[in-house]
């Protein structure tokens, strides 16, 4: 099971990113846990300054802007 964290304060792009992660996981048939991290200190602890961010199994794979669905699928499949 993949552990995914979506980093962001709760803006529309952050919500869209969370939905995209869930949609791509379902499309691929992957079991994932998705945690929304909104605390700025926790977000900064991952070393990113721009949100939304995505962390998969402890590794930051994306920061800033809306990711492409095919990239999300690739990160989840890795």
């Amino acid at each position: 099971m993949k552990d995914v964290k979506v980093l962001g304060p709760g803006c529309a792009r952050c919500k869209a990113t969370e939905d995209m992660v869930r949609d791509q996981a379902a499309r691929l048939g992957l079991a994932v846990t998705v945690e929304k991290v909104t605390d700025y200190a926790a977000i900064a602890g991952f070393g990113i300054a721009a949100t939304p961010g995505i962390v998969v199994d402890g590794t930051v794979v994306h920061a800033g802007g809306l990711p492409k669905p095919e990239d999300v699928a690739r990160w989840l499949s890795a």
Side-chain angles (χ1 to χ4, degrees):
M1 179 177 295
K2 296 278 184 183
D3 177 47
V4 181
K5 293 179 179 16
V6 177
L7 313 176
C11 64
R13 285 184 310 198
C14 298
K15 177 62 176 144
T17 299
E18 180 181 2
D19 291 343
M20 189 183 307
V21 167
R22 292 182 189 281
D23 291 345
Q24 289 300 315
R27 186 181 71 77
L28 295 167
L30 297 173
V32 298
T33 60
V34 180
E35 177 186 352
K36 183 73 171 83
V37 178
T38 58
D39 179 69
Y40 285 107
I43 292 168
F46 285 99
I48 70 164
T51 60
I54 300 175
V55 178
V56 178
D57 291 336
T59 301
V60 175
V61 295
H62 177 78
L66 200 59
K68 295 178 182 174
E70 59 268 22
D71 289 337
V72 173
R74 183 171 35 88
W75 299 324
L76 294 176
S77 296

